[in-house]
Amino acid sequence: MAGLKSPRVKDDKTKKRKREANDADTKAKRHRQQARQGKPNGLDGDSEADKLIEADSLLEVAADSHNEVVGRRENGEAGWRISKPMGGRMLDIDPILTADDRYLILTYNTSIQVYTANDSLLVRRIPITSLDSSAPQGSTPATIISTRLSVRDPNFAWVACSDGRVYHVDWTQSTEAPTSFQTASGTAKAMAVVPTQRQGKGEDIVLVVESDKEYRMEVVAYQGKVESSVPSKSLLVLKKHGAGLQLLEASADGQVLVGAFHDRLFVGVASQSGAAKVEELQYEFYSFDTPDLITSLSMRVHKKSGSRKGQTGFDKPVDVTAGGARGAIFVYNDVLARLQAAGKSQAEKDGVQVQRLHWHRRAVHSVKWSRDGNYILSGGSENTLVLWQVDTGKKDFLPHLSGSVENIVVSSAGSSYVVHLDDNSCMILSTAEMKPTAYVSGIQSAAIDVATPKDLLVKRTWSTADQVRRPIPAAIKPSDPSKLHVCVGNGRQASMAGDFSAPLLQTFDLESFTSVTKQALARTQTTANNMTSKGHTIDEPLVSHIAFSGDGKWLASVDEWKPSSRDVENVSSDLRDQFIRERREIYLKFWEVHDSDESVALVSRINTPHATNHPESVLDLASDPTSTSFATIGADGIVRVWRPKARQQNGLAVKGSEGRDTVTWGCSQIVAVGDYVGREAGAEVSAATTPAKAQGSITFSEDGSTLFAAFGATDVGVVYVIDAASGRIVKTLEGMWSGQLQSIRALSSFVLVLSKDLRVYDVVGDELQYGIVIPEIPGVNELLQIAVDYTSGHFAVTLPIGGISSVGIFDPEDPEPLLVRSTPHRIVSLVSAPTTSGFIALDDAAQVWVIAEGSDPSALTTVQPLQDLQLDGPAAEEDSKDMILDMEDAGMASDEEMDDQEPAEEEDVDMDDDDFHPSIIPQQYLADIFDAAPAFAAPSVEDMFYKVTGLLATKPLSSGSA
């Protein structure tokens, strides 16, 4: 094995630590090394107990060492650091497309991000409620509930959070922190912005829906000022029991308000126009019940000839359309005139005449009027955008979208639609061709919901999980560490409904922070209706493992599918488990990776790679870092090594489309481990005699010469050391793990086993280096993960604690953590790249955390969004303008100006002066840099920046050398 270290060095280090005066007795006892004196593998009870950290849990280790270790080492260059979170999930909030169609503003879980609409590139990210790893343990960020553009100044936006904090954000720059004010109740459910009619420069009035109790809502108006005390006025209070949403919309001039509270719709019209202050603002409200819970709302105020003025003098028809939780769309034409004619009491009693449209099978997530009022756009869980023709009721569809439609926005000119999907993507569609002109996508991995899904506002036969219950397969290709490959599903709701679903592989560029490709590794449901006749979701196959080969040219994946227990209700109860086991589909697939477009092509599929009298699960998949081979371990107790071989037909090599020899994959070695052979529980065997569920994990050593396979039942923990060349078991390490086995990894001469405790075993020295007890917390075994960093020689462990995770960096020779931090979200994926230092952590909010050592030049410190370079903004533009003006003043004067100027004295002209030389760059030089490739394939902004500065820094030739 590579990188072996002498046990004497470790002993010397341990003895030196014992002699240090500032070490406590507990630490000395914690690190004490004892001789084994002939005990097999050195794992007798007394010595093993001494090797385990004598803390009640890893939490105590984190608490004891956080201030001392992290504070001491992060200040130096060699300290480990964890970055601020990057990315996130787009929230169920309408995107904002500016009036000139140049910028697209999207709301994420902790920030708002600005993109250019013509090339889909990130311009800036403005944190709102972001929390990094330095936040107090247990802290959770507030949820953004609404984002609205300012009516008076479109360069600003109002952002309301669930804790009642309303921020005033200048989205054109990210240098200044946004100002804010606090609502009176400390809550916020919805928000709208209306203008004041003050002479000259007006202000915004922010309308906030507040609710400190589920059955009560209040609409409060706040003066658009950011001060300690903001003038406010209560406009409306409604009380109604139920479980639904609270929505609020306002017309552009602020004369009409439309809102919803559960299944009650209310319309408000301004009693007088020209309110200059919030105290003068006054509305007359009408409310009535609707046939269903309202999940989406849209209003249209238009001019109509011959319309009569109502009691308040408002003469414009108001059309309202509302989406219901059971799939219906309710259209109220000229609703204000009908309400005023019927009166408040009569309208509240009898309701209003409504036109009903129904196509959606579940909740209507979004509904919008077109600008001309001839169409209604709607979207829901069918992955389809529906266009309703109002006059005829005919429908047109844009089907097979990549996720459920969450939000629809019509541009101010009506020439494009903005569609936000629940797979963490957003696109701009042209209304003429219904083709995308811009596309923005984040990491589409499974994530938790910040609010109850609209489809679950009414009782369903299915439900979605409230948390991610298993690690999400992810990997980094050794030949390209800038891209993260992660398994995703067809939207958040599809991934979390039923059994966990992730049949797709997304390639995400960490440098530009954009999605590159997404393709299926297993079967997917492409139809609009993925429901059974009884209303249950159809489960898709789950990709359980992925791994790249050592050269990055091959990808291996394992996907599984089994019938749902509800599908075998007619089978006798004693045969259901057997029937499900026999009908399982397990595939091992090998994909060829194309470097040109980051796509993968299926080369070989192995049906049921591990089986006894029924298909057995593939417990783990590992890649040889030094050669093109993979290893799997199955529940049948067999380790199989897979290698490619030339494909032949009639004794001749088969050529591919490009004239190259094609290959196929097959099993080259079989190694049996343990005495567990996947015995089956038949109908006559009672549950008490059913064999325990097999557990296993496998990994290669750094040099690929050794395979470490952990296999056994819950109470039997054995690690087998296998010679990779011969397939012979050279050593057996007993009692290495117990409980639920999570993972096994090899680092230098150590093997790391993570189960109910973490054990670091020195294979060469044949001794247990140390062990750390994992705390017994409910759900801690769900997302307990470990990853190794070959470059720095360290490993990382993530520990879920409730809704957060604790991340620790360890040296295999020292049980004291080098870094302990907690993240405000649970880590669902932890990966490292073989060729670079550091770790990439992905949490259940689709945020990326980079953990790297500051002094390592090969660390993943380049993984950062483009906006972190801060090459945009008014400051940069002003600097560039000043530079251009200075260059014009210095050496770019026109011919007429040069003729008018008097010639300077000869002794004042020094052509060799190095102080300043104006640089005149031909346009072609810049075109060669910026137009060398299309936007999606262009080099990074940093590279282009240095190329341009290289042109500016070039010293011009003197006249004498011309």
Side-chain angles (χ1 to χ4, degrees):
M1 293 177 289
L4 300 183
K5 299 180 181 180
S6 172
R8 180 176 302 175
V9 177
K10 301 197 302 294
D11 293 340
D12 294 342
K13 177 183 177 182
T14 305
K15 293 177 181 178
K16 183 177 180 181
R17 285 188 50 84
K18 286 182 180 180
R19 290 193 297 267
E20 289 177 356
N22 58 352
D23 279 352
D25 294 339
T26 55
K27 289 186 178 181
K29 184 176 181 181
R30 183 182 302 171
H31 300 159
R32 185 167 55 233
Q33 306 286 340
Q34 292 186 352
R36 290 337 189 232
Q37 297 181 358
K39 303 292 183 178
N41 297 328
L43 291 179
D44 59 287
D46 295 337
S47 60
E48 181 180 357
D50 291 334
K51 290 294 183 177
L52 293 177
I53 289 183
E54 296 180 0
D56 292 338
S57 66
L58 188 59
L59 297 178
E60 292 189 6
V61 179
D64 294 341
S65 60
H66 184 276
N67 296 330
E68 177 185 356
V69 178
V70 178
R72 183 179 69 246
R73 304 195 183 188
E74 277 198 342
N75 292 333
E77 296 181 355
W80 281 84
R81 298 174 176 86
I82 182 169
S83 69
K84 294 183 179 180
M86 296 173 286
R89 283 197 68 87
M90 304 175 192
L91 296 181
D92 184 11
I93 297 175
D94 285 348
I96 297 175
L97 185 63
T98 56
D100 54 4
D101 293 349
R102 292 183 58 190
Y103 296 101
L104 178 65
I105 305 175
L106 301 177
T107 305
Y108 285 73
N109 48 359
T110 59
S111 64
I112 61 173
Q113 300 187 17
V114 184
Y115 296 84
T116 53
N118 58 347
D119 54 13
S120 309
L121 293 180
L122 177 64
V123 177
R124 66 185 57 88
R125 176 182 183 270
I126 304 175
I128 303 296
T129 62
S130 178
L131 291 180
D132 56 22
S133 60
S134 61
Q137 186 170 348
S139 302
T140 55
T143 303
I144 300 175
I145 55 96
S146 181
T147 301
R148 303 277 187 177
L149 269 188
S150 171
V151 180
R152 290 302 185 184
D153 190 352
N155 289 337
F156 284 83
W158 294 96
V159 182
C161 299
S162 58
D163 59 356
R165 180 67 60 179
V166 180
Y167 294 87
H168 193 224
V169 182
D170 184 359
W171 61 267
T172 61
Q173 56 91 22
S174 57
T175 56
E176 297 181 2
T179 55
S180 64
F181 69 87
Q182 180 74 36
T183 60
S185 65
T187 62
K189 300 294 183 180
M191 181 182 64
V193 180
V194 298
T196 59
Q197 305 298 325
R198 180 179 298 179
Q199 295 280 338
K201 184 178 180 181
E203 295 179 344
D204 293 327
I205 294 180
V206 182
L207 307 179
V208 182
V209 176
E210 304 180 29
S211 177
D212 51 0
K213 299 178 181 178
E214 292 184 358
Y215 62 88
R216 182 181 183 273
M217 72 163 287
E218 182 179 7
V219 180
V220 184
Y222 292 90
Q223 195 76 34
K225 299 179 180 179
V226 183
E227 299 174 353
S228 57
S229 60
V230 180
S232 63
K233 180 182 181 180
S234 177
L235 301 179
L236 173 68
V237 176
L238 287 178
K239 295 183 179 180
K240 187 176 182 63
H241 290 275
L245 301 178
Q246 302 177 27
L247 308 174
L248 183 64
E249 297 290 336
S251 60
D253 56 3
Q255 295 296 301
V256 181
L257 301 179
V258 176
F261 182 43
H262 301 336
D263 60 349
R264 176 166 293 183
L265 191 68
F266 63 87
V267 180
V269 58
S271 301
Q272 58 180 0
S273 59
K277 297 181 179 180
V278 68
E279 294 83 0
E280 303 173 2
L281 195 64
Q282 193 171 13
Y283 286 89
E284 184 177 0
F285 286 95
Y286 304 84
S287 64
F288 57 93
D289 290 341
T290 59
D292 197 1
L293 292 175
I294 298 177
T295 57
S296 54
L297 199 63
S298 181
M299 171 182 57
R300 175 174 176 262
V301 180
H302 57 96
K303 294 182 180 180
K304 187 177 181 181
S305 60
S307 59
R308 298 179 179 179
K309 292 187 177 182
Q311 300 174 2
T312 60
F314 191 79
D315 58 348
K316 296 180 181 179
V318 179
D319 299 336
V320 176
T321 177
R326 294 172 176 84
I329 298 175
F330 308 102
V331 182
Y332 299 92
N333 293 310
D334 201 1
V335 63
L336 186 57
R338 296 176 186 270
L339 290 172
Q340 292 175 344
K344 292 184 179 181
S345 59
Q346 190 70 21
E348 187 173 352
K349 178 180 178 181
D350 299 336
V352 181
Q353 183 179 0
V354 62
Q355 178 185 358
R356 184 186 179 104
L357 307 174
H358 201 159
W359 178 85
H360 296 280
R361 300 175 180 88
R362 286 178 267 178
V364 181
H365 294 178
S366 182
V367 62
K368 284 293 187 296
W369 285 100
S370 64
R371 289 300 177 190
D372 56 7
N374 296 328
Y375 293 91
I376 295 176
L377 294 87
S378 65
S381 301
E382 298 80 14
N383 296 13
T384 301
L385 180 66
V386 187
L387 287 83
W388 305 80
Q389 193 172 8
V390 178
D391 294 338
T392 63
K394 293 183 178 180
K395 301 179 290 294
D396 197 4
F397 304 96
L398 181 63
H400 305 308
L401 299 176
S402 59
S404 300
V405 178
E406 292 296 317
N407 303 97
I408 304 172
V409 172
V410 182
S411 65
S412 57
S415 59
S416 58
Y417 303 139
V418 183
V419 181
H420 165 223
L421 306 176
D422 82 327
D423 67 342
N424 207 22
S425 67
C426 183
M427 67 177 72
I428 301 178
L429 301 172
S430 63
T431 57
E433 300 178 348
M434 294 302 290
K435 293 183 178 180
T437 59
Y439 179 75
V440 175
S441 175
I443 296 181
Q444 301 175 355
S445 59
I448 59 174
D449 258 325
V450 296
T452 303
K454 294 178 179 178
D455 290 342
L456 297 180
L457 292 176
V458 295
K459 191 173 182 180
R460 305 281 180 180
T461 59
W462 54 273
S463 62
T464 60
D466 56 346
Q467 287 186 336
V468 183
R469 299 294 185 184
R470 59 185 301 163
I472 296 177
I476 295 179
K477 188 167 60 173
S479 57
D480 190 0
S482 65
K483 293 181 176 60
L484 175 67
H485 304 264
V486 59
C487 291
V488 300
N490 290 295
R492 199 219 73 88
Q493 184 169 283
S495 299
M496 303 294 285
D499 196 5
F500 183 74
S501 173
L504 308 174
L505 180 69
Q506 181 189 20
T507 301
F508 194 82
D509 192 341
L510 294 171
E511 290 184 348
S512 61
F513 230 75
T514 56
S515 179
V516 180
T517 61
K518 186 173 69 172
Q519 68 178 93
L521 297 182
R523 296 192 315 271
T524 58
Q525 299 292 338
T526 58
T527 61
N529 185 17
N530 61 341
M531 307 289 291
T532 65
S533 58
K534 296 184 179 181
H536 297 286
T537 58
I538 299 176
D539 293 336
E540 296 173 322
L542 169 67
V543 178
S544 57
H545 302 90
I546 61 172
F548 282 97
S549 61
D551 55 5
K553 296 181 179 180
W554 295 94
L555 172 70
S557 67
V558 177
D559 61 272
E560 302 181 5
W561 177 87
K562 64 179 180 180
S564 175
S565 57
R566 59 177 177 267
D567 295 335
V568 292
E569 295 177 351
N570 296 329
V571 181
S572 60
S573 58
D574 54 350
L575 294 177
R576 286 179 186 174
D577 293 341
Q578 179 182 353
F579 180 81
I580 292 177
R581 287 198 303 268
E582 292 177 352
R583 292 292 305 275
R584 293 180 67 181
E585 298 178 2
I586 303 174
Y587 300 116
L588 172 63
K589 299 176 182 178
F590 298 96
W591 310 78
E592 185 178 6
V593 181
H594 297 156
D595 294 333
S596 57
D597 55 359
E598 295 295 334
S599 63
V600 294
L602 181 62
V603 173
S604 297
R605 188 185 78 176
I606 311 298
N607 299 343
T608 316
H610 294 266
T612 52
N613 53 353
H614 60 266
E616 296 284 357
S617 299
V618 178
L619 302 178
D620 200 5
L621 169 70
S623 169
D624 188 346
T626 60
S627 65
T628 307
S629 64
F630 297 91
T632 59
I633 184 171
D636 56 350
I638 300 295
V639 174
R640 295 178 181 267
V641 179
W642 308 86
R643 292 187 175 92
K645 59 182 179 180
R647 187 189 299 271
Q648 293 185 352
Q649 185 176 6
N650 297 329
L652 300 176
V654 178
K655 300 291 184 179
S657 58
E658 299 179 357
R660 298 182 301 173
D661 293 342
T662 59
V663 300
T664 184
W665 285 77
C667 181
S668 62
Q669 285 182 348
I670 298 178
V671 182
V673 294
D675 55 356
Y676 185 87
V677 292
R679 294 170 292 172
E680 179 183 0
E684 72 280 3
V685 180
S686 63
T689 60
T690 302
K693 181 181 179 182
Q695 302 183 82
S697 183
I698 194 171
T699 187
F700 280 90
S701 61
E702 280 189 58
D703 59 356
S705 63
T706 309
L707 263 172
F708 298 97
F711 184 81
T714 304
D715 55 348
V716 180
V718 182
V719 174
Y720 300 89
V721 183
I722 304 171
D723 184 8
S726 63
R728 184 174 57 90
I729 299 177
V730 297
K731 184 181 295 186
T732 301
L733 308 177
E734 298 180 355
M736 284 291 295
W737 57 273
S738 61
Q740 183 175 349
L741 176 65
Q742 302 296 331
S743 181
I744 181 173
R745 292 290 183 266
L747 181 61
S748 184
S749 63
F750 303 95
V751 58
L752 319 173
V753 184
L754 183 62
S755 58
K756 74 175 184 179
D757 51 35
L758 170 65
R759 303 200 179 195
V760 179
Y761 189 83
D762 186 359
V763 180
V764 176
D766 197 13
E767 63 177 0
L768 180 68
Q769 187 74 7
Y770 61 85
I772 299 177
V773 178
I774 303 299
E776 296 182 1
I777 301 176
V780 71
N781 291 327
E782 294 176 352
L783 297 173
L784 191 59
Q785 301 175 76
I786 186 172
V788 297
D789 181 5
Y790 294 148
T791 304
S792 66
H794 297 86
F795 66 93
V797 178
T798 61
L799 173 67
I801 310 168
I804 66 175
S805 281
S806 179
V807 181
I809 304 297
F810 291 87
D811 188 319
E813 298 183 1
D814 190 354
E816 184 180 357
L818 302 176
L819 172 73
V820 176
R821 287 294 194 188
S822 62
T823 59
H825 300 277
R826 304 209 312 173
I827 301 298
V828 296
S829 293
L830 181 66
V831 296
S832 61
T835 57
T836 59
S837 174
F839 304 90
I840 296 291
L842 176 65
D843 64 17
D844 58 3
Q847 297 180 134
V848 172
W849 305 75
V850 179
I851 310 168
E853 193 173 9
S855 63
D856 193 342
S858 64
L860 293 168
T861 54
T862 57
V863 179
Q864 56 180 344
L866 295 179
Q867 46 85 23
D868 285 349
L869 296 176
Q870 297 181 356
L871 300 179
D872 65 296
E877 295 176 0
E878 293 176 0
D879 292 343
S880 62
K881 291 179 180 179
D882 293 341
M883 182 178 66
I884 293 175
L885 293 176
D886 292 341
M887 292 173 64
E888 289 179 351
D889 294 339
M892 291 187 178
S894 61
D895 294 339
E896 292 80 2
E897 293 173 347
M898 293 296 294
D899 293 339
D900 296 338
Q901 292 178 357
E902 296 180 0
E905 297 181 5
E906 184 176 356
E907 59 270 17
D908 292 338
V909 179
D910 186 4
M911 299 301 295
D912 294 332
D913 187 9
D914 292 336
D915 292 338
F916 175 76
H917 291 284
S919 299
I920 303 176
I921 303 175
Q923 184 177 1
Q924 182 60 35
Y925 290 178
L926 296 176
D928 293 341
I929 296 176
F930 292 102
D931 300 336
F936 63 87
S940 65
V941 173
E942 188 176 7
D943 292 340
M944 291 191 291
F945 174 78
Y946 285 121
K947 290 181 180 179
V948 174
T949 55
L951 293 176
L952 294 173
T954 302
K955 182 178 179 179
L957 296 176
S958 61
S959 59
S961 59

